[in-house]
């Protein structure tokens, strides 16, 4: 089937629908590729980035009590995980909308093309099979274009959603580990001064013992 012949036969409505489908296809391909690449990058770095963010937050919480420290870290984890979720879902509405409306746009173009073809056939007065089959078959091209636009959008959407689930799994898994480790901050902070005091006391006792021994040795030698 000659596309140029179909293009000359179509009216302004059909041409407009064709350009709409072409624009949706271009946008969905660009958005889908960028979304998948960014989601894969985020899945590889989300755990380390979350650890860095929480460790920077923990430096100012050493002197706080355990309930306050746990509450602050929980709020920080929820905030960062929410940001990761928002970042990973960018572009998904475009893909979902394209996958949902593209087949209907193509179907509308087909219905309009068939109506336009039958109207021309009725005006010309020629109603043979050759005059009906050609224009109706050409009108079905719009349905095929709508499906061709919708299929890549659906594939990109499902692939991005699958990767985003992995992003959230890594983020939540590391968040539980960081929340469990936050309970040990106070214990470590309290242990270090005690160890330092014990070390200083032991060193002082050793010096006193050595001084006493030297004094006894001097006294014995004088006697």
């Amino acid at each position: 089937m000659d596309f140029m012949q179909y293009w000359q036969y179509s009216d302004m409505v059909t041409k407009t629908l064709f350009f709409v489908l072409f624009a949706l296809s271009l946008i969905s391909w660009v958005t889908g590729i960028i979304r998948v690449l960014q989601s894969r990058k985020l899945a590889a770095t989300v755990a380390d980035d979350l650890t860095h963010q929480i460790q920077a937050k923990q430096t100012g919480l050493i002197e706080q009590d355990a309930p306050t420290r746990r509450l602050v870290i929980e709020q920080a984890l929820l905030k960062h995980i929410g940001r990761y979720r928002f970042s990973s879902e960018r572009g998904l509405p475009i893909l979902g909308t394209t996958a949902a409306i593209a087949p209907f746009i193509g179907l509308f173009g087909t219905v309009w093309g068939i109506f336009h073809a039958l109207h021309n056939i009725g005006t010309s007065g020629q109603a043979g099979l050759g005059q009906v089959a050609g224009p109706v078959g050409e009108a079905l091209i719009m349905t095929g274009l709508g499906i061709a636009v919708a299929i890549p959008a659906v594939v990109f959407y499902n692939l991005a959603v699958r990767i985003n689930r992995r992003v959230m799994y890594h983020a939540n898994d590391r968040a539980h580990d960081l929340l469990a480790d936050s309970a040990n901050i106070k214990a470590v902070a309290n242990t270090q001064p005690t160890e330092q005091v014990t070390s200083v006391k032991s060193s002082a006792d050793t010096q006193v013992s050595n001084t006493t021994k030297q004094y006894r040795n001097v006294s014995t030698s004088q006697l």
Side-chain angles (χ1 to χ4, degrees):
M1 183 179 296
D2 190 1
F3 179 78
M4 295 303 300
Q5 181 180 359
Y6 167 73
W7 186 255
Q8 294 175 359
Y9 177 78
S10 60
D11 60 351
M12 186 58 65
V13 175
T14 304
K15 292 178 180 179
T16 302
L17 295 176
F18 175 82
F19 283 115
V20 170
L21 290 175
F22 179 77
L24 288 176
S25 177
L26 183 62
I27 293 173
S28 64
W29 272 94
V30 174
T31 304
I33 293 174
I34 294 176
R35 180 66 272 153
V36 170
L37 293 178
Q38 290 181 349
S39 295
R40 292 183 63 182
K41 181 179 179 180
L42 185 61
T45 60
V46 62
D48 295 335
D49 184 68
L50 187 61
T51 301
H52 177 73
Q53 295 291 338
I54 298 303
Q55 286 179 350
K57 190 74 174 178
Q58 288 176 348
T59 56
L61 300 175
I62 297 178
E63 300 300 329
Q64 301 293 331
D65 57 348
T68 302
R69 186 172 60 254
R70 182 180 179 85
L71 178 61
V72 173
I73 293 178
E74 283 181 351
Q75 294 300 320
L77 288 171
L78 291 175
K79 181 181 69 175
H80 289 296
I81 291 176
R83 289 179 179 177
Y84 295 141
R85 181 179 291 107
F86 177 77
S87 178
S88 64
E89 291 178 353
R90 290 178 179 175
L92 291 183
I94 297 176
L95 297 176
T97 302
T98 301
I101 67 175
F104 295 100
I105 294 176
L107 183 60
F108 177 75
T110 297
V111 173
W112 182 266
I114 292 175
F115 168 75
H116 187 258
L118 294 178
H119 177 73
N120 291 335
I121 292 173
T123 302
S124 63
Q126 298 177 356
L129 181 61
Q131 288 77 20
V132 175
V136 171
E138 292 174 357
L140 294 175
I141 293 177
M142 293 300 297
T143 299
L145 290 177
I147 296 174
V149 172
I151 290 176
V154 173
V155 173
F156 281 125
Y157 181 87
N158 291 331
L159 186 60
V161 169
R162 180 69 181 89
I163 299 175
N164 290 340
R165 289 178 181 174
R166 189 169 62 188
V167 171
M168 290 296 101
Y169 169 76
H170 289 310
N172 290 323
D173 186 66
R174 184 57 60 89
H176 285 90
D177 293 337
L178 292 172
L179 191 61
D181 293 339
S182 65
N184 299 325
I185 298 177
K186 194 69 175 181
V188 173
N190 292 333
T191 303
Q192 290 179 351
T194 303
E195 292 177 351
Q196 293 176 358
V197 171
T198 304
S199 177
V200 172
K201 184 177 180 181
S202 177
S203 177
D205 293 340
T206 303
Q207 292 178 357
V208 171
S209 178
N210 292 333
T211 303
T212 304
K213 289 181 181 179
Q214 292 176 359
Y215 178 77
R216 290 178 178 176
N217 292 333
V218 171
S219 300
T220 304
S221 63
Q222 290 177 355
L223 294 174

